[in-house]
Amino acid sequence: MSNGSLALPRVIGHRGAAGHAPENTLASLRRAAELGARWVEFDVALTREGEPVLLHDKTVDRTTSGKGKLAAMSLGELQQLDAGAWHSEAMAGERVPTLMEAIALLQSLGLGANIEIKPTPGREAETGAVVAKRVAAAWPVSLPPPLFSSFKSEALAAARDAAPSIARGYLSSRLGREWQREAAALGCVSIHCNHRNLDRRGAAEARQAGYLLLAYTVNDAARGRQLFEWGVEAVFTDYPDRLLAI
Ligand code: G3P
Ligand code: MG
């Protein structure tokens, strides 16, 4: 396993800069860059017809003006919705971006990215393959190589098969019994874990196994400092400004 080609900064904006702007929107990616982040994480799922878009939940209810499952919605229907007004008046008019729109913005901002694949149940392999193919075809050479991650092994396996050269991260809330076997089988270079379930010993175990260790979602600078001491390579944060101040 090699993680040599992956140059991660210590601070990665979570869903853009979700503490400052509506998550997973272009405004949120922009805000992360303005705050000094060099990388962002965002979630990608498929519309009904299979278009990859940035959305965290299975439904649009929490983060848009609409209601219903993303998997039942066409891109045209999705683009009618407001993805910023729920957050604040100033952000009204934001839309749910397509992956392609997000990549174009990353290019203009010079932002690297961890693309988290969030498949609809039953469409795990399809989501992994579609996202990987699109990223492989469109990733700007001016940006650092991207990193995929997913809670779903089937999605990561499909991403590996569709775009083997794009690095993969094993994403799991905690480091359970299976992580070493699964991460190795998927050819992952990194382990992404909820910082609340991480301790010094677990961090050492992941590092000694040769993986880069990333922790989410870290919004407290003192906690960030401790995680870096334990050998955590990078943290995902809703507040890049707080963590960059360390
Ligand atoms: O990729 C790290 C983190 O985003 C995973 O959890 O639920 O915020 O997507 P979630
Ligand atoms: Mg995520």
PDB file of all heavy atoms in Angstrom, residues 42 44 52 54 98-100 102-104 106 112-117 127-141 143-149 159 162-167:
ATOM      1  N   PHE A  42     -17.001  16.853   0.710  1.00  0.00           N
ATOM      2  CA  PHE A  42     -18.437  17.000   0.466  1.00  0.00           C
ATOM      3  C   PHE A  42     -19.017  15.637   0.105  1.00  0.00           C
ATOM      4  O   PHE A  42     -18.284  14.697  -0.226  1.00  0.00           O
ATOM      5  CB  PHE A  42     -18.743  18.065  -0.604  1.00  0.00           C
ATOM      6  CG  PHE A  42     -17.985  17.917  -1.891  1.00  0.00           C
ATOM      7  CD1 PHE A  42     -18.403  17.028  -2.867  1.00  0.00           C
ATOM      8  CD2 PHE A  42     -16.842  18.682  -2.139  1.00  0.00           C
ATOM      9  CE1 PHE A  42     -17.700  16.898  -4.067  1.00  0.00           C
ATOM     10  CE2 PHE A  42     -16.133  18.551  -3.332  1.00  0.00           C
ATOM     11  CZ  PHE A  42     -16.558  17.664  -4.291  1.00  0.00           C
ATOM     12  N   VAL A  44     -21.605  13.124  -2.016  1.00  0.00           N
ATOM     13  CA  VAL A  44     -22.167  13.020  -3.370  1.00  0.00           C
ATOM     14  C   VAL A  44     -23.113  11.818  -3.459  1.00  0.00           C
ATOM     15  O   VAL A  44     -22.767  10.706  -3.054  1.00  0.00           O
ATOM     16  CB  VAL A  44     -21.047  12.905  -4.430  1.00  0.00           C
ATOM     17  CG1 VAL A  44     -21.642  12.712  -5.818  1.00  0.00           C
ATOM     18  CG2 VAL A  44     -20.168  14.147  -4.413  1.00  0.00           C
ATOM     19  N   PRO A  52     -24.762  12.711 -10.446  1.00  0.00           N
ATOM     20  CA  PRO A  52     -24.173  12.934  -9.118  1.00  0.00           C
ATOM     21  C   PRO A  52     -24.303  14.389  -8.668  1.00  0.00           C
ATOM     22  O   PRO A  52     -23.934  15.318  -9.406  1.00  0.00           O
ATOM     23  CB  PRO A  52     -22.703  12.541  -9.295  1.00  0.00           C
ATOM     24  CG  PRO A  52     -22.473  12.338 -10.735  1.00  0.00           C
ATOM     25  CD  PRO A  52     -23.762  12.402 -11.469  1.00  0.00           C
ATOM     26  N   LEU A  54     -24.407  17.118  -4.900  1.00  0.00           N
ATOM     27  CA  LEU A  54     -23.915  17.240  -3.524  1.00  0.00           C
ATOM     28  C   LEU A  54     -25.091  17.273  -2.546  1.00  0.00           C
ATOM     29  O   LEU A  54     -25.863  18.241  -2.520  1.00  0.00           O
ATOM     30  CB  LEU A  54     -23.079  18.527  -3.363  1.00  0.00           C
ATOM     31  CG  LEU A  54     -21.597  18.431  -3.765  1.00  0.00           C
ATOM     32  CD1 LEU A  54     -21.444  18.013  -5.207  1.00  0.00           C
ATOM     33  CD2 LEU A  54     -20.861  19.715  -3.482  1.00  0.00           C
ATOM     34  N   THR A  98     -24.402  20.177  -8.890  1.00  0.00           N
ATOM     35  CA  THR A  98     -23.966  18.895  -9.447  1.00  0.00           C
ATOM     36  C   THR A  98     -22.489  18.705  -9.103  1.00  0.00           C
ATOM     37  O   THR A  98     -21.770  19.676  -8.808  1.00  0.00           O
ATOM     38  CB  THR A  98     -24.115  18.846 -10.981  1.00  0.00           C
ATOM     39  OG1 THR A  98     -23.244  19.834 -11.547  1.00  0.00           O
ATOM     40  CG2 THR A  98     -25.550  19.114 -11.421  1.00  0.00           C
ATOM     41  N   LEU A  99     -22.044  17.467  -9.166  1.00  0.00           N
ATOM     42  CA  LEU A  99     -20.618  17.188  -8.934  1.00  0.00           C
ATOM     43  C   LEU A  99     -19.765  17.953  -9.935  1.00  0.00           C
ATOM     44  O   LEU A  99     -18.701  18.484  -9.596  1.00  0.00           O
ATOM     45  CB  LEU A  99     -20.371  15.676  -9.041  1.00  0.00           C
ATOM     46  CG  LEU A  99     -18.921  15.211  -8.997  1.00  0.00           C
ATOM     47  CD1 LEU A  99     -18.246  15.583  -7.675  1.00  0.00           C
ATOM     48  CD2 LEU A  99     -18.839  13.698  -9.214  1.00  0.00           C
ATOM     49  N   MET A 100     -20.253  18.046 -11.169  1.00  0.00           N
ATOM     50  CA  MET A 100     -19.478  18.737 -12.208  1.00  0.00           C
ATOM     51  C   MET A 100     -19.346  20.228 -11.900  1.00  0.00           C
ATOM     52  O   MET A 100     -18.280  20.820 -12.106  1.00  0.00           O
ATOM     53  CB  MET A 100     -20.123  18.534 -13.591  1.00  0.00           C
ATOM     54  CG  MET A 100     -20.105  17.111 -14.076  1.00  0.00           C
ATOM     55  SD  MET A 100     -18.417  16.444 -14.237  1.00  0.00           S
ATOM     56  CE  MET A 100     -18.385  15.282 -12.928  1.00  0.00           C
ATOM     57  N   ALA A 102     -19.399  21.510  -8.926  1.00  0.00           N
ATOM     58  CA  ALA A 102     -18.487  21.610  -7.776  1.00  0.00           C
ATOM     59  C   ALA A 102     -17.036  21.494  -8.242  1.00  0.00           C
ATOM     60  O   ALA A 102     -16.168  22.262  -7.791  1.00  0.00           O
ATOM     61  CB  ALA A 102     -18.821  20.526  -6.754  1.00  0.00           C
ATOM     62  N   ILE A 103     -16.772  20.556  -9.147  1.00  0.00           N
ATOM     63  CA  ILE A 103     -15.388  20.376  -9.618  1.00  0.00           C
ATOM     64  C   ILE A 103     -14.896  21.640 -10.342  1.00  0.00           C
ATOM     65  O   ILE A 103     -13.754  22.074 -10.152  1.00  0.00           O
ATOM     66  CB  ILE A 103     -15.269  19.117 -10.519  1.00  0.00           C
ATOM     67  CG1 ILE A 103     -15.466  17.853  -9.671  1.00  0.00           C
ATOM     68  CG2 ILE A 103     -13.913  19.081 -11.228  1.00  0.00           C
ATOM     69  CD1 ILE A 103     -15.490  16.555 -10.463  1.00  0.00           C
ATOM     70  N   ALA A 104     -15.773  22.242 -11.132  1.00  0.00           N
ATOM     71  CA  ALA A 104     -15.379  23.480 -11.835  1.00  0.00           C
ATOM     72  C   ALA A 104     -15.025  24.576 -10.826  1.00  0.00           C
ATOM     73  O   ALA A 104     -14.055  25.324 -11.011  1.00  0.00           O
ATOM     74  CB  ALA A 104     -16.510  23.935 -12.755  1.00  0.00           C
ATOM     75  N   LEU A 106     -14.001  24.084  -7.666  1.00  0.00           N
ATOM     76  CA  LEU A 106     -12.751  23.692  -7.003  1.00  0.00           C
ATOM     77  C   LEU A 106     -11.566  24.145  -7.843  1.00  0.00           C
ATOM     78  O   LEU A 106     -10.573  24.663  -7.323  1.00  0.00           O
ATOM     79  CB  LEU A 106     -12.671  22.172  -6.817  1.00  0.00           C
ATOM     80  CG  LEU A 106     -13.693  21.480  -5.919  1.00  0.00           C
ATOM     81  CD1 LEU A 106     -13.476  19.970  -5.936  1.00  0.00           C
ATOM     82  CD2 LEU A 106     -13.623  21.989  -4.487  1.00  0.00           C
ATOM     83  N   GLY A 112      -8.422  21.321  -3.107  1.00  0.00           N
ATOM     84  CA  GLY A 112      -8.429  19.874  -3.202  1.00  0.00           C
ATOM     85  C   GLY A 112      -9.692  19.322  -2.544  1.00  0.00           C
ATOM     86  O   GLY A 112     -10.404  20.061  -1.861  1.00  0.00           O
ATOM     87  N   ALA A 113      -9.976  18.015  -2.749  1.00  0.00           N
ATOM     88  CA  ALA A 113     -11.222  17.491  -2.186  1.00  0.00           C
ATOM     89  C   ALA A 113     -11.187  16.014  -1.835  1.00  0.00           C
ATOM     90  O   ALA A 113     -10.607  15.190  -2.544  1.00  0.00           O
ATOM     91  CB  ALA A 113     -12.383  17.736  -3.146  1.00  0.00           C
ATOM     92  N   ASN A 114     -11.857  15.728  -0.720  1.00  0.00           N
ATOM     93  CA  ASN A 114     -12.264  14.373  -0.365  1.00  0.00           C
ATOM     94  C   ASN A 114     -13.731  14.257  -0.757  1.00  0.00           C
ATOM     95  O   ASN A 114     -14.590  14.953  -0.208  1.00  0.00           O
ATOM     96  CB  ASN A 114     -12.089  14.149   1.141  1.00  0.00           C
ATOM     97  CG  ASN A 114     -12.731  12.865   1.647  1.00  0.00           C
ATOM     98  OD1 ASN A 114     -13.112  12.805   2.814  1.00  0.00           O
ATOM     99  ND2 ASN A 114     -12.863  11.842   0.813  1.00  0.00           N
ATOM    100  N   ILE A 115     -13.989  13.402  -1.730  1.00  0.00           N
ATOM    101  CA  ILE A 115     -15.346  13.216  -2.233  1.00  0.00           C
ATOM    102  C   ILE A 115     -15.938  12.001  -1.535  1.00  0.00           C
ATOM    103  O   ILE A 115     -15.498  10.864  -1.771  1.00  0.00           O
ATOM    104  CB  ILE A 115     -15.321  13.053  -3.765  1.00  0.00           C
ATOM    105  CG1 ILE A 115     -14.741  14.337  -4.387  1.00  0.00           C
ATOM    106  CG2 ILE A 115     -16.719  12.727  -4.303  1.00  0.00           C
ATOM    107  CD1 ILE A 115     -14.372  14.204  -5.841  1.00  0.00           C
ATOM    108  N   GLU A 116     -16.901  12.262  -0.660  1.00  0.00           N
ATOM    109  CA  GLU A 116     -17.541  11.150   0.065  1.00  0.00           C
ATOM    110  C   GLU A 116     -18.728  10.642  -0.743  1.00  0.00           C
ATOM    111  O   GLU A 116     -19.662  11.388  -1.033  1.00  0.00           O
ATOM    112  CB  GLU A 116     -17.989  11.591   1.468  1.00  0.00           C
ATOM    113  CG  GLU A 116     -18.470  10.366   2.227  1.00  0.00           C
ATOM    114  CD  GLU A 116     -19.256  10.666   3.490  1.00  0.00           C
ATOM    115  OE1 GLU A 116     -19.037  11.690   4.146  1.00  0.00           O
ATOM    116  OE2 GLU A 116     -20.113   9.817   3.799  1.00  0.00           O
ATOM    117  N   ILE A 117     -18.672   9.373  -1.083  1.00  0.00           N
ATOM    118  CA  ILE A 117     -19.736   8.756  -1.883  1.00  0.00           C
ATOM    119  C   ILE A 117     -20.834   8.290  -0.923  1.00  0.00           C
ATOM    120  O   ILE A 117     -20.593   7.472  -0.044  1.00  0.00           O
ATOM    121  CB  ILE A 117     -19.170   7.572  -2.706  1.00  0.00           C
ATOM    122  CG1 ILE A 117     -17.991   8.051  -3.582  1.00  0.00           C
ATOM    123  CG2 ILE A 117     -20.259   6.927  -3.541  1.00  0.00           C
ATOM    124  CD1 ILE A 117     -17.151   6.926  -4.178  1.00  0.00           C
ATOM    125  N   THR A 127     -23.466   4.095  -7.677  1.00  0.00           N
ATOM    126  CA  THR A 127     -23.010   5.413  -7.235  1.00  0.00           C
ATOM    127  C   THR A 127     -21.480   5.488  -7.248  1.00  0.00           C
ATOM    128  O   THR A 127     -20.902   6.461  -7.748  1.00  0.00           O
ATOM    129  CB  THR A 127     -23.540   5.733  -5.817  1.00  0.00           C
ATOM    130  OG1 THR A 127     -24.933   5.431  -5.752  1.00  0.00           O
ATOM    131  CG2 THR A 127     -23.329   7.194  -5.476  1.00  0.00           C
ATOM    132  N   GLY A 128     -20.839   4.452  -6.711  1.00  0.00           N
ATOM    133  CA  GLY A 128     -19.372   4.441  -6.699  1.00  0.00           C
ATOM    134  C   GLY A 128     -18.793   4.527  -8.103  1.00  0.00           C
ATOM    135  O   GLY A 128     -17.854   5.287  -8.371  1.00  0.00           O
ATOM    136  N   ALA A 129     -19.383   3.764  -9.026  1.00  0.00           N
ATOM    137  CA  ALA A 129     -18.856   3.731 -10.397  1.00  0.00           C
ATOM    138  C   ALA A 129     -19.090   5.054 -11.120  1.00  0.00           C
ATOM    139  O   ALA A 129     -18.189   5.583 -11.783  1.00  0.00           O
ATOM    140  CB  ALA A 129     -19.512   2.577 -11.163  1.00  0.00           C
ATOM    141  N   VAL A 130     -20.300   5.606 -10.987  1.00  0.00           N
ATOM    142  CA  VAL A 130     -20.622   6.862 -11.695  1.00  0.00           C
ATOM    143  C   VAL A 130     -19.736   7.992 -11.188  1.00  0.00           C
ATOM    144  O   VAL A 130     -19.139   8.748 -11.978  1.00  0.00           O
ATOM    145  CB  VAL A 130     -22.122   7.221 -11.515  1.00  0.00           C
ATOM    146  CG1 VAL A 130     -22.409   8.637 -11.980  1.00  0.00           C
ATOM    147  CG2 VAL A 130     -23.002   6.230 -12.263  1.00  0.00           C
ATOM    148  N   VAL A 131     -19.626   8.110  -9.868  1.00  0.00           N
ATOM    149  CA  VAL A 131     -18.819   9.195  -9.296  1.00  0.00           C
ATOM    150  C   VAL A 131     -17.351   9.036  -9.736  1.00  0.00           C
ATOM    151  O   VAL A 131     -16.704   9.996 -10.168  1.00  0.00           O
ATOM    152  CB  VAL A 131     -18.942   9.223  -7.753  1.00  0.00           C
ATOM    153  CG1 VAL A 131     -17.952  10.209  -7.141  1.00  0.00           C
ATOM    154  CG2 VAL A 131     -20.373   9.562  -7.344  1.00  0.00           C
ATOM    155  N   ALA A 132     -16.846   7.819  -9.642  1.00  0.00           N
ATOM    156  CA  ALA A 132     -15.436   7.595  -9.988  1.00  0.00           C
ATOM    157  C   ALA A 132     -15.164   7.916 -11.455  1.00  0.00           C
ATOM    158  O   ALA A 132     -14.160   8.558 -11.790  1.00  0.00           O
ATOM    159  CB  ALA A 132     -15.054   6.148  -9.678  1.00  0.00           C
ATOM    160  N   LYS A 133     -16.068   7.516 -12.328  1.00  0.00           N
ATOM    161  CA  LYS A 133     -15.863   7.778 -13.768  1.00  0.00           C
ATOM    162  C   LYS A 133     -15.891   9.275 -14.045  1.00  0.00           C
ATOM    163  O   LYS A 133     -15.081   9.786 -14.818  1.00  0.00           O
ATOM    164  CB  LYS A 133     -16.951   7.080 -14.590  1.00  0.00           C
ATOM    165  CG  LYS A 133     -16.665   5.604 -14.781  1.00  0.00           C
ATOM    166  CD  LYS A 133     -17.736   4.968 -15.674  1.00  0.00           C
ATOM    167  CE  LYS A 133     -17.800   3.477 -15.415  1.00  0.00           C
ATOM    168  NZ  LYS A 133     -19.072   2.882 -15.768  1.00  0.00           N
ATOM    169  N   ARG A 134     -16.848   9.964 -13.451  1.00  0.00           N
ATOM    170  CA  ARG A 134     -16.955  11.411 -13.684  1.00  0.00           C
ATOM    171  C   ARG A 134     -15.701  12.136 -13.177  1.00  0.00           C
ATOM    172  O   ARG A 134     -15.178  13.028 -13.836  1.00  0.00           O
ATOM    173  CB  ARG A 134     -18.181  11.982 -12.974  1.00  0.00           C
ATOM    174  CG  ARG A 134     -19.491  11.502 -13.519  1.00  0.00           C
ATOM    175  CD  ARG A 134     -19.762  12.124 -14.896  1.00  0.00           C
ATOM    176  NE  ARG A 134     -21.122  11.810 -15.289  1.00  0.00           N
ATOM    177  CZ  ARG A 134     -22.156  12.635 -15.116  1.00  0.00           C
ATOM    178  NH1 ARG A 134     -21.988  13.822 -14.587  1.00  0.00           N
ATOM    179  NH2 ARG A 134     -23.361  12.270 -15.499  1.00  0.00           N
ATOM    180  N   VAL A 135     -15.268  11.755 -11.976  1.00  0.00           N
ATOM    181  CA  VAL A 135     -14.099  12.432 -11.396  1.00  0.00           C
ATOM    182  C   VAL A 135     -12.853  12.121 -12.233  1.00  0.00           C
ATOM    183  O   VAL A 135     -12.054  13.013 -12.546  1.00  0.00           O
ATOM    184  CB  VAL A 135     -13.907  12.031  -9.913  1.00  0.00           C
ATOM    185  CG1 VAL A 135     -12.583  12.541  -9.375  1.00  0.00           C
ATOM    186  CG2 VAL A 135     -15.078  12.571  -9.073  1.00  0.00           C
ATOM    187  N   ALA A 136     -12.707  10.860 -12.624  1.00  0.00           N
ATOM    188  CA  ALA A 136     -11.531  10.481 -13.420  1.00  0.00           C
ATOM    189  C   ALA A 136     -11.492  11.267 -14.724  1.00  0.00           C
ATOM    190  O   ALA A 136     -10.424  11.684 -15.196  1.00  0.00           O
ATOM    191  CB  ALA A 136     -11.560   8.979 -13.693  1.00  0.00           C
ATOM    192  N   ALA A 137     -12.663  11.509 -15.313  1.00  0.00           N
ATOM    193  CA  ALA A 137     -12.713  12.191 -16.614  1.00  0.00           C
ATOM    194  C   ALA A 137     -12.545  13.701 -16.479  1.00  0.00           C
ATOM    195  O   ALA A 137     -12.049  14.353 -17.397  1.00  0.00           O
ATOM    196  CB  ALA A 137     -14.047  11.881 -17.295  1.00  0.00           C
ATOM    197  N   ALA A 138     -12.943  14.256 -15.343  1.00  0.00           N
ATOM    198  CA  ALA A 138     -13.046  15.726 -15.263  1.00  0.00           C
ATOM    199  C   ALA A 138     -12.094  16.367 -14.263  1.00  0.00           C
ATOM    200  O   ALA A 138     -12.075  17.602 -14.153  1.00  0.00           O
ATOM    201  CB  ALA A 138     -14.484  16.106 -14.896  1.00  0.00           C
ATOM    202  N   TRP A 139     -11.340  15.571 -13.524  1.00  0.00           N
ATOM    203  CA  TRP A 139     -10.537  16.183 -12.457  1.00  0.00           C
ATOM    204  C   TRP A 139      -9.444  17.083 -13.048  1.00  0.00           C
ATOM    205  O   TRP A 139      -8.657  16.647 -13.865  1.00  0.00           O
ATOM    206  CB  TRP A 139      -9.904  15.114 -11.558  1.00  0.00           C
ATOM    207  CG  TRP A 139      -9.408  15.718 -10.281  1.00  0.00           C
ATOM    208  CD1 TRP A 139      -8.105  15.951  -9.936  1.00  0.00           C
ATOM    209  CD2 TRP A 139     -10.210  16.192  -9.193  1.00  0.00           C
ATOM    210  NE1 TRP A 139      -8.053  16.548  -8.702  1.00  0.00           N
ATOM    211  CE2 TRP A 139      -9.323  16.707  -8.217  1.00  0.00           C
ATOM    212  CE3 TRP A 139     -11.580  16.245  -8.949  1.00  0.00           C
ATOM    213  CZ2 TRP A 139      -9.773  17.260  -7.024  1.00  0.00           C
ATOM    214  CZ3 TRP A 139     -12.029  16.792  -7.765  1.00  0.00           C
ATOM    215  CH2 TRP A 139     -11.126  17.296  -6.819  1.00  0.00           C
ATOM    216  N   PRO A 140      -9.370  18.332 -12.630  1.00  0.00           N
ATOM    217  CA  PRO A 140      -8.400  19.255 -13.218  1.00  0.00           C
ATOM    218  C   PRO A 140      -6.957  18.891 -12.843  1.00  0.00           C
ATOM    219  O   PRO A 140      -6.694  18.586 -11.678  1.00  0.00           O
ATOM    220  CB  PRO A 140      -8.782  20.606 -12.590  1.00  0.00           C
ATOM    221  CG  PRO A 140     -10.148  20.422 -12.000  1.00  0.00           C
ATOM    222  CD  PRO A 140     -10.246  18.975 -11.637  1.00  0.00           C
ATOM    223  N   VAL A 141      -6.077  18.937 -13.818  1.00  0.00           N
ATOM    224  CA  VAL A 141      -4.681  18.586 -13.538  1.00  0.00           C
ATOM    225  C   VAL A 141      -4.030  19.598 -12.593  1.00  0.00           C
ATOM    226  O   VAL A 141      -3.042  19.287 -11.927  1.00  0.00           O
ATOM    227  CB  VAL A 141      -3.832  18.477 -14.830  1.00  0.00           C
ATOM    228  CG1 VAL A 141      -4.172  17.230 -15.596  1.00  0.00           C
ATOM    229  CG2 VAL A 141      -3.980  19.722 -15.694  1.00  0.00           C
ATOM    230  N   LEU A 143      -5.196  20.649  -9.865  1.00  0.00           N
ATOM    231  CA  LEU A 143      -5.522  20.377  -8.457  1.00  0.00           C
ATOM    232  C   LEU A 143      -4.755  19.157  -7.950  1.00  0.00           C
ATOM    233  O   LEU A 143      -4.375  18.282  -8.729  1.00  0.00           O
ATOM    234  CB  LEU A 143      -7.018  20.098  -8.311  1.00  0.00           C
ATOM    235  CG  LEU A 143      -7.967  21.261  -8.565  1.00  0.00           C
ATOM    236  CD1 LEU A 143      -9.410  20.823  -8.333  1.00  0.00           C
ATOM    237  CD2 LEU A 143      -7.623  22.467  -7.688  1.00  0.00           C
ATOM    238  N   PRO A 144      -4.556  19.083  -6.615  1.00  0.00           N
ATOM    239  CA  PRO A 144      -3.981  17.844  -6.074  1.00  0.00           C
ATOM    240  C   PRO A 144      -4.919  16.673  -6.355  1.00  0.00           C
ATOM    241  O   PRO A 144      -6.140  16.873  -6.437  1.00  0.00           O
ATOM    242  CB  PRO A 144      -3.883  18.122  -4.568  1.00  0.00           C
ATOM    243  CG  PRO A 144      -4.736  19.307  -4.298  1.00  0.00           C
ATOM    244  CD  PRO A 144      -4.871  20.076  -5.578  1.00  0.00           C
ATOM    245  N   PRO A 145      -4.384  15.456  -6.506  1.00  0.00           N
ATOM    246  CA  PRO A 145      -5.251  14.309  -6.766  1.00  0.00           C
ATOM    247  C   PRO A 145      -6.298  14.174  -5.656  1.00  0.00           C
ATOM    248  O   PRO A 145      -6.000  14.409  -4.491  1.00  0.00           O
ATOM    249  CB  PRO A 145      -4.294  13.109  -6.741  1.00  0.00           C
ATOM    250  CG  PRO A 145      -2.936  13.684  -6.921  1.00  0.00           C
ATOM    251  CD  PRO A 145      -2.968  15.080  -6.392  1.00  0.00           C
ATOM    252  N   PRO A 146      -7.544  13.805  -6.030  1.00  0.00           N
ATOM    253  CA  PRO A 146      -8.611  13.727  -5.031  1.00  0.00           C
ATOM    254  C   PRO A 146      -8.543  12.442  -4.215  1.00  0.00           C
ATOM    255  O   PRO A 146      -7.773  11.534  -4.517  1.00  0.00           O
ATOM    256  CB  PRO A 146      -9.867  13.735  -5.899  1.00  0.00           C
ATOM    257  CG  PRO A 146      -9.438  13.075  -7.163  1.00  0.00           C
ATOM    258  CD  PRO A 146      -8.002  13.451  -7.379  1.00  0.00           C
ATOM    259  N   LEU A 147      -9.393  12.377  -3.206  1.00  0.00           N
ATOM    260  CA  LEU A 147      -9.506  11.198  -2.352  1.00  0.00           C
ATOM    261  C   LEU A 147     -10.980  10.840  -2.235  1.00  0.00           C
ATOM    262  O   LEU A 147     -11.801  11.682  -1.876  1.00  0.00           O
ATOM    263  CB  LEU A 147      -8.931  11.553  -0.966  1.00  0.00           C
ATOM    264  CG  LEU A 147      -9.105  10.553   0.179  1.00  0.00           C
ATOM    265  CD1 LEU A 147      -8.375   9.236  -0.120  1.00  0.00           C
ATOM    266  CD2 LEU A 147      -8.580  11.154   1.496  1.00  0.00           C
ATOM    267  N   PHE A 148     -11.314   9.592  -2.551  1.00  0.00           N
ATOM    268  CA  PHE A 148     -12.686   9.120  -2.356  1.00  0.00           C
ATOM    269  C   PHE A 148     -12.818   8.528  -0.958  1.00  0.00           C
ATOM    270  O   PHE A 148     -11.844   8.022  -0.385  1.00  0.00           O
ATOM    271  CB  PHE A 148     -13.027   7.989  -3.349  1.00  0.00           C
ATOM    272  CG  PHE A 148     -13.188   8.428  -4.771  1.00  0.00           C
ATOM    273  CD1 PHE A 148     -12.653   7.677  -5.809  1.00  0.00           C
ATOM    274  CD2 PHE A 148     -13.901   9.576  -5.088  1.00  0.00           C
ATOM    275  CE1 PHE A 148     -12.806   8.063  -7.138  1.00  0.00           C
ATOM    276  CE2 PHE A 148     -14.068   9.969  -6.404  1.00  0.00           C
ATOM    277  CZ  PHE A 148     -13.511   9.214  -7.431  1.00  0.00           C
ATOM    278  N   SER A 149     -14.029   8.542  -0.424  1.00  0.00           N
ATOM    279  CA  SER A 149     -14.307   7.777   0.789  1.00  0.00           C
ATOM    280  C   SER A 149     -15.773   7.380   0.758  1.00  0.00           C
ATOM    281  O   SER A 149     -16.567   7.978   0.020  1.00  0.00           O
ATOM    282  CB  SER A 149     -13.992   8.581   2.050  1.00  0.00           C
ATOM    283  OG  SER A 149     -14.814   9.727   2.116  1.00  0.00           O
ATOM    284  N   ALA A 159     -15.795   2.127  -7.087  1.00  0.00           N
ATOM    285  CA  ALA A 159     -14.930   3.272  -7.436  1.00  0.00           C
ATOM    286  C   ALA A 159     -13.525   2.772  -7.793  1.00  0.00           C
ATOM    287  O   ALA A 159     -12.913   3.240  -8.755  1.00  0.00           O
ATOM    288  CB  ALA A 159     -14.876   4.250  -6.257  1.00  0.00           C
ATOM    289  N   ALA A 162     -13.626   1.271 -11.257  1.00  0.00           N
ATOM    290  CA  ALA A 162     -13.840   2.259 -12.331  1.00  0.00           C
ATOM    291  C   ALA A 162     -12.660   3.223 -12.475  1.00  0.00           C
ATOM    292  O   ALA A 162     -12.383   3.695 -13.579  1.00  0.00           O
ATOM    293  CB  ALA A 162     -15.117   3.051 -12.059  1.00  0.00           C
ATOM    294  N   ALA A 163     -11.998   3.530 -11.359  1.00  0.00           N
ATOM    295  CA  ALA A 163     -10.882   4.499 -11.400  1.00  0.00           C
ATOM    296  C   ALA A 163      -9.833   4.074 -10.376  1.00  0.00           C
ATOM    297  O   ALA A 163      -9.694   4.692  -9.316  1.00  0.00           O
ATOM    298  CB  ALA A 163     -11.406   5.905 -11.092  1.00  0.00           C
ATOM    299  N   PRO A 164      -9.086   2.991 -10.712  1.00  0.00           N
ATOM    300  CA  PRO A 164      -8.187   2.396  -9.716  1.00  0.00           C
ATOM    301  C   PRO A 164      -7.121   3.358  -9.196  1.00  0.00           C
ATOM    302  O   PRO A 164      -6.636   3.200  -8.071  1.00  0.00           O
ATOM    303  CB  PRO A 164      -7.527   1.225 -10.467  1.00  0.00           C
ATOM    304  CG  PRO A 164      -8.192   1.126 -11.789  1.00  0.00           C
ATOM    305  CD  PRO A 164      -9.089   2.294 -11.996  1.00  0.00           C
ATOM    306  N   SER A 165      -6.747   4.350  -9.997  1.00  0.00           N
ATOM    307  CA  SER A 165      -5.625   5.203  -9.574  1.00  0.00           C
ATOM    308  C   SER A 165      -6.050   6.320  -8.608  1.00  0.00           C
ATOM    309  O   SER A 165      -5.200   7.005  -8.053  1.00  0.00           O
ATOM    310  CB  SER A 165      -4.932   5.800 -10.798  1.00  0.00           C
ATOM    311  OG  SER A 165      -5.842   6.665 -11.445  1.00  0.00           O
ATOM    312  N   ILE A 166      -7.342   6.506  -8.421  1.00  0.00           N
ATOM    313  CA  ILE A 166      -7.783   7.540  -7.471  1.00  0.00           C
ATOM    314  C   ILE A 166      -7.799   6.949  -6.058  1.00  0.00           C
ATOM    315  O   ILE A 166      -8.376   5.879  -5.830  1.00  0.00           O
ATOM    316  CB  ILE A 166      -9.153   8.125  -7.866  1.00  0.00           C
ATOM    317  CG1 ILE A 166      -9.036   8.784  -9.250  1.00  0.00           C
ATOM    318  CG2 ILE A 166      -9.644   9.127  -6.815  1.00  0.00           C
ATOM    319  CD1 ILE A 166     -10.306   9.442  -9.756  1.00  0.00           C
ATOM    320  N   ALA A 167      -7.150   7.636  -5.129  1.00  0.00           N
ATOM    321  CA  ALA A 167      -6.975   7.113  -3.767  1.00  0.00           C
ATOM    322  C   ALA A 167      -8.319   6.951  -3.059  1.00  0.00           C
ATOM    323  O   ALA A 167      -9.259   7.716  -3.288  1.00  0.00           O
ATOM    324  CB  ALA A 167      -6.071   8.045  -2.976  1.00  0.00           C
TER     325      ALA A 167
END
